[in-house]
Structure formats: C-alpha cells, structure tokens
Amino acid sequence: MKTFRFLAMALVAAATVMTASSWKCTGRERIVEFKTTMGTIKVKLYNETPLHRDNFIRQVKAHTYDSSTFHRVIKDFMIQGGKPKIQKGEDEMDPLVPAEFRVEQGIYHRKGVLAAARNGDKENPERASSPYQFYIVWGSVYTDAGLDKMQKRVSKATDGKTVITEEMREVYKTDGGTPWLDGQYTVFGEVIEGMDIVDAIQNVATDDRDKPLEPVVILSAKFRRR
C-alpha cells in the first residue's frame, strides 16, 4: 500500500464515507497531546468540524498514532503524520471522512492549523479526507500580490466558492500559512502549545521523498487539559 499524499495520493482506506451520525462527540473542547522524540505538541480540535473531530478522537482512543512518525516533512509548508499505510491483517474499512470546509467561519490554512490529508481530486472529487492522515501547517508569509495569485488559483480549484477575505489576507501577510489549500482540504484544529517543536520538525533533513532521514516518532497521543 502507498502512503496518502497531497494532491496525488494513493488510496489506503476503502472508498466508503462516514455519515453524520457516526462517532458523535459534542460539548467541551478536546485537547490532544502528542509526545514526540523532538518534544510535545498540543492541539485543539474544532467543534465546528464534528466529523473530523470525532474521527480524530476515535483514532486517538484506538492508539492509531502511538509509535507512528511524521513521515513527510516539507520546510516552509507542513509536517505530515498519522498512519501512512495499512499493515497486513489490519482493518482496511475505516471510512473516509466527508469534507468539512469552514472558511466562512474563519477556519482556514493559517500557520499552526491541523488539517486532514486526502486522495487527489481525480479519484476523490468529493474531497473526502483520510481517516488516518493529518498535517500541521507551517507555510510562508505572503504579499498582497502573492495573495492575488493565490486567490485566482483557489477560485479556479473551488469554482469561485472560496474567497480569501481581508481578515485572512492580514493573517497570511503576518503569520503566514498555505492559502492555496483553502476550500480543498479540511482544517479541523490548531496547535495551542509546541509551535517551536513544529518548527524544529519542519527543519529536519529529508530525503528526495520528503521523508526525515532520522525518524521523528510520535511516542503517544493522549487527551489532556489545557
């Protein structure tokens, strides 16, 4: 089995999709702490994206991410982790997670957000997410001219449905991010502690497939208070 990758990833899970009634969790914010070989990262899951939130909760409870790695790292872009492939004998029927784009609610690809990887558009026109794979955005800082170009790219990819607002532009011009993914990949959380660790990971040496030369291991993923 091949790993999930951005834009041109091979399918790992079966092409079934989670329904709105699956894996319900409501109420308080959920915080997940990743202990890694390079330090600790805490992420907050958004209640505005309940399907992705609840899938992530289920994966944490199942210890899916324990002993996994950040297996794809691209400097000034993102660090990607999760379960890169199904091992022999494991359940391959975890459903894909329906897209939950919430740009209009201020949830977009700014620096530090948690988002879901997915199969490419050709085989996945609904842009449903991998149930296992996630990434944390680092990105770049943009100029107004650069954001104008990004808007044209995003408009084409989303049939004009996604707009980089003035508020978003200010964030992309100061903190940075990856605006060209808006409206196409689901953002479902954000880092609340450990951006220095994300920075350290995104700077590690990698091979020609963007895999760290020295494994960056997620030792455990557990629920925590702030």
Side-chain angles (χ1 to χ4, degrees):
M1 292 284 183
K2 298 179 180 178
T3 59
F4 274 89
R5 297 182 70 86
F6 292 96
L7 307 180
M9 299 177 287
L11 279 172
V12 174
T16 53
V17 177
M18 182 180 294
T19 65
S21 61
S22 302
W23 312 113
K24 292 180 180 178
C25 174
T26 58
R28 63 190 175 89
E29 288 182 341
R30 301 305 294 267
I31 307 297
V32 176
E33 178 185 83
F34 292 109
K35 285 190 176 297
T36 82
T37 48
M38 295 185 69
T40 299
I41 302 168
K42 282 187 180 180
V43 298
K44 175 180 73 175
L45 307 181
Y46 293 150
N47 289 329
E48 292 87 347
T49 50
L51 296 180
H52 284 74
R53 174 200 62 197
D54 295 348
N55 174 74
F56 205 73
I57 288 170
R58 185 170 72 91
Q59 300 300 345
V60 171
K61 287 182 176 179
H63 303 286
T64 298
Y65 304 125
D66 295 1
S67 301
S68 66
T69 64
F70 283 102
H71 56 273
R72 186 168 182 245
V73 172
I74 302 178
K75 181 176 171 57
D76 297 329
F77 178 18
M78 59 86 223
I79 62 174
Q80 184 174 345
K83 192 175 185 179
K85 61 183 177 180
I86 300 294
Q87 303 296 327
K88 184 177 181 180
E90 289 185 330
D91 182 10
E92 298 188 15
M93 297 304 293
D94 272 13
L96 302 181
V97 187
E100 295 180 287
F101 306 138
R102 300 288 185 266
V103 176
E104 72 284 354
Q105 293 177 248
I107 296 175
Y108 54 93
H109 280 81
R110 58 186 174 81
K111 181 179 179 179
V113 297
L114 174 72
R118 65 171 176 81
N119 200 298
D121 289 355
K122 185 176 181 179
E123 54 267 71
N124 179 28
E126 299 301 319
R127 294 172 171 167
S129 302
S130 160
Y132 309 119
Q133 296 276 307
F134 64 89
Y135 59 97
I136 297 173
V137 170
W138 189 265
S140 301
V141 172
Y142 284 81
T143 63
D144 279 315
L147 288 170
D148 289 342
K149 291 180 180 178
M150 290 299 101
Q151 181 62 76
K152 291 179 181 179
R153 180 173 175 179
V154 168
S155 293
K156 182 178 180 180
T158 65
D159 295 325
K161 296 177 182 177
T162 301
V163 176
I164 302 173
T165 66
E166 287 303 316
E167 180 180 349
M168 292 165 65
R169 291 176 76 97
E170 287 305 310
V171 172
Y172 283 136
K173 288 191 294 183
T174 53
D175 295 339
T178 55
W180 51 277
L181 295 178
D182 285 337
Q184 300 160 78
Y185 291 79
T186 297
V187 174
F188 65 97
E190 65 182 77
V191 174
I192 58 172
E193 290 182 28
M195 278 302 287
D196 57 329
I197 306 303
V198 177
D199 186 21
I201 294 172
Q202 67 113 16
N203 275 290
V204 300
T206 58
D207 63 18
D208 58 1
R209 294 187 177 183
D210 305 316
K211 182 178 180 179
L213 298 180
E214 294 292 331
V216 181
V217 181
I218 298 173
L219 302 171
S220 65
K222 296 180 179 179
F223 297 110
R224 287 287 186 264
R225 297 183 183 274
R226 278 185 178 273

